[in-house]
Each structure stands twice: as structure tokens, then as C-alpha cells.
Amino acid sequence: MNYRHAYHAGNFADVVKHVALSRLVEYLKLKDKAFRVIDTHAGIGLYDLSSEEAQKTGEWRGGIGRLLRADLSAEARELLAPYLGAVMAANPAGAIESYPGSPLIVRHLLRPQDRLSAIELHPQDFGRLRGLFAGDFQVRTMELDGWLALGAHLPPKEKRGFVLVDPPFEQAGEFDRLVDGLARAHRRWPGGIYALWYPVKNRAAVAEFRAALRQVGIPKILDVVFEVRAASAEGLFDGTGLVVVNPPFVFESEMRVILPELMKALGEDAKARWSLEWLAGEHTPA
Ligand SMILES: C[S@@+](CC[C@H](N)C(=O)[O-])C[C@H]1O[C@@H](n2cnc3c(N)ncnc32)[C@H](O)[C@@H]1O
């Protein structure tokens, strides 16, 4: 396990993923009944943007750095408010110095009755994650394999909520593990919402992944794609994807407001594009 999210925290892919997560949490809050979020690959939860890792790549500047300077439509700004509130809560002095990871963003948005399970396998990263949430009875941190949790920890006793699966993609076979893990999880908890992150880098692998998802027999799958630049010949990390299973009914229309605004803020060339496509179930009107 060599992957360190500290190099990438706050980049364009984190922004898209975390904005989508925030909309899922906000939807679940429309009913009083408690819910649980399960983050199977949680990372450390809070990233110092002045660290050597973050400075080395500077990726956050093309993500949250650009978004914070963007002139957003009023409608998009309202939908982004929970996410941006979580980012600013991690930066109480006002200037952007830190970036919250998925567990901290979710935690910021929970109500007293809601819960978060944050899972991380890397021992050092787990130590940081545990420290961040020490004494917080709404958050359960676990040092274990997130893929196993997809079986053993579902369904949660609340029977409401969502599962984020955000693996590092440092090993071959990660796309297959995502499809298998989703199929297993969905058998145990068909009513759960799932968000699966993937990189748009190796286009052939992405096409195979999408084809496999069309065949997996799960009724409602929406694929969010956000590419910040034209596909590079050498297959660089030019875009990001998020597969959402059982998206709430408002999710697609909210993303149709949000994504064009994010694209204006984060797109890097004229080929930058976004899309929302049903891989199974409801179909987007032409
Ligand atoms: C992309 S990062 C997670 C970022 C985080 N979800 C966020 O949005 O802030 C992937 C994380 O998964 C961890 N990891 C790798 N293999 C794992 C496994 N089998 N189970 C749980 N965590 C794992 C890595 O150590 C890394 O911290």
C-alpha cells in the first residue's frame, strides 16, 4: 500500500466526489430517521495543504483552490453550500490551509442521530484517522480491509444511508474488485445507496468497467463523469468518475446544475466535459 492521498487531497477529483457526497448526505437529512454512512477507504480525514506532499504536486490548486475563486451561479452556490461549509470549517482562520477528506466532510454534515463508519487499512493513516475522531461517539473508525467491510458490515442497523467505496487504484484489478464488491454488497443491502469512485485514465479499462456494470443486474446505476482536459495520449489522470447506485430522485437534477458550474471553474481546455449517464434504469431525456 504505497498510495498516499496527501498528494492529491483537494484536487478536481476530490472536489467532484465530495460535492456529490454532500448532496447524498443532504438528501438523507430530509427525513428525521437516522442514517449511517460507511466510508470503506477513508484516508486520514484532514490534509495539510502546506505539507511536502501537497506542495509537491500542487494538485489542490487546480481543484478546491480554483473553486473557491469561482464565480458560481446562485443556484449552484446554494447546492454547494454544505460542501463549502465543511471545507471552511476545516479552515477556521479563513485562508485555505487544510482540506477535509470524505469522513470529515460527512461528519461535518451529520445530525446528532446519524452515524459514520470510517474504515482504513494503512496502519499509519488509520492512526491519524482514529486520532481525528477520538471521543466522537457518532463516528466508528476501524482498521480493516474495506472490501471485507462491504460484506460484513451491510446492511447497517439503521437501514438507511450510503456506502462510499474510494479505493486507491494502485493495484491491477481494482475495477473488477469494484464490480464484484458492489454485486456482493447489493445482494446484502439492495436498498442502500452506493458511490464508487474511479479514475478516468485508462479509457479501455473504464469502458470495460461500464460494460460490466450494465450487466451486473442492479436496477439503478447512474455514472457521473467529469473530464478536466482532452484525453492525453499517454493516458494521464484527465478525469474522474463516480458511479452512484440507487441515487436519490433529486440527485441527477442537482448534478445537472452543479457540474456545468464546476466545469467552468475547473475545466482546463476546450475538450473538458461532463456527463451523467444511466448505466441501468432510468434514462436521461435527450
Ligand atoms: C483515495 S484514498 C481515500 C480518500 C478518501 N476517501 C477521501 O475522499 O478523502 C484511498 C485510501 O484507501 C486506503 N486503502 C488502501 N487499500 C485499502 C483497503 N483494502 N481497505 C481500506 N483502506 C484501504 C489507502 O491507505 C488510502 O488512504
Side-chain angles (χ1 to χ4, degrees):
M1 288 201 301
N2 296 317
Y3 179 88
R4 299 272 67 100
H5 196 64
Y7 289 98
H8 312 293
N11 69 5
F12 74 88
D14 258 10
V15 169
V16 174
K17 169 180 66 186
H18 293 155
V19 166
L21 290 190
S22 71
R23 294 319 311 164
L24 295 177
V25 175
E26 290 305 295
Y27 170 78
L28 288 164
K29 284 160 67 176
L30 295 176
K31 285 190 186 155
D32 287 340
K33 197 168 178 293
F35 61 83
R36 179 176 296 267
V37 176
I38 300 172
D39 191 342
T40 63
H41 295 71
I44 62 175
L46 183 63
Y47 299 88
D48 174 3
L49 297 178
S50 66
S51 69
E52 202 181 310
E53 293 93 331
Q55 289 294 327
K56 191 166 173 192
T57 64
E59 284 187 23
W60 69 272
R61 294 179 196 281
I64 188 63
R66 283 174 75 161
L67 181 62
L68 289 175
R69 292 195 309 273
D71 185 17
L72 300 166
S73 72
E75 207 184 347
R77 189 162 286 285
E78 197 179 322
L79 292 170
L80 291 179
Y83 163 70
L84 291 173
V87 172
M88 293 327 292
N91 292 281
I96 176 101
E97 291 166 349
S98 304
Y99 185 77
S102 51
L104 196 57
I105 291 172
V106 169
R107 176 63 187 96
H108 178 78
L109 299 174
L110 294 185
R111 306 162 302 178
Q113 66 268 43
D114 306 320
R115 297 290 181 270
L116 166 66
S117 297
I119 296 162
E120 169 60 49
L121 188 59
H122 191 285
Q124 275 171 349
D125 287 1
F126 176 71
R128 307 262 306 263
L129 181 72
R130 184 180 49 194
L132 185 65
F133 293 112
D136 185 339
F137 73 91
Q138 287 184 249
V139 182
R140 184 169 173 215
T141 54
M142 284 170 274
E143 184 176 6
L144 55 91
D145 185 340
W147 297 112
L148 296 180
L150 271 180
H153 291 254
L154 298 183
K157 73 172 189 310
E158 293 81 3
K159 301 272 167 49
R160 289 187 79 218
F162 73 86
V163 183
L164 169 65
V165 188
D166 184 15
F169 277 84
E170 63 178 354
Q171 285 173 1
E174 211 81 308
F175 279 113
D176 293 339
R177 266 190 290 280
L178 270 182
V179 178
D180 294 347
L182 172 64
R184 199 157 29 95
H186 187 264
R187 276 196 296 277
R188 291 181 69 104
W189 189 27
I193 300 169
Y194 300 87
L196 316 180
W197 183 84
Y198 67 92
V200 177
K201 198 169 174 180
N202 175 340
R203 308 281 162 153
V206 170
E208 269 178 41
F209 173 57
R210 287 160 55 90
L213 287 171
R214 288 181 197 278
Q215 301 296 320
V216 77
I218 293 175
K220 280 177 80 177
I221 307 181
L222 181 65
D223 186 27
V224 181
V225 173
F226 190 89
E227 297 179 44
V228 288
R229 60 186 88 92
S232 48
E234 60 276 54
L236 299 178
F237 177 48
D238 300 314
T240 181
L242 194 71
V243 165
V244 185
V245 172
N246 292 328
F249 71 100
V250 289
F251 182 78
E252 181 183 1
S253 55
E254 290 182 352
M255 294 308 279
R256 285 191 185 280
V257 173
I258 291 170
L259 291 174
E261 293 290 304
L262 289 186
M263 192 46 80
K264 273 197 256 164
L266 310 183
E268 294 178 10
D269 67 26
K271 291 279 175 63
R273 59 175 285 277
W274 61 270
S275 64
L276 284 164
E277 187 184 345
W278 289 95
L279 300 180
E282 285 165 47
H283 281 278
T284 315

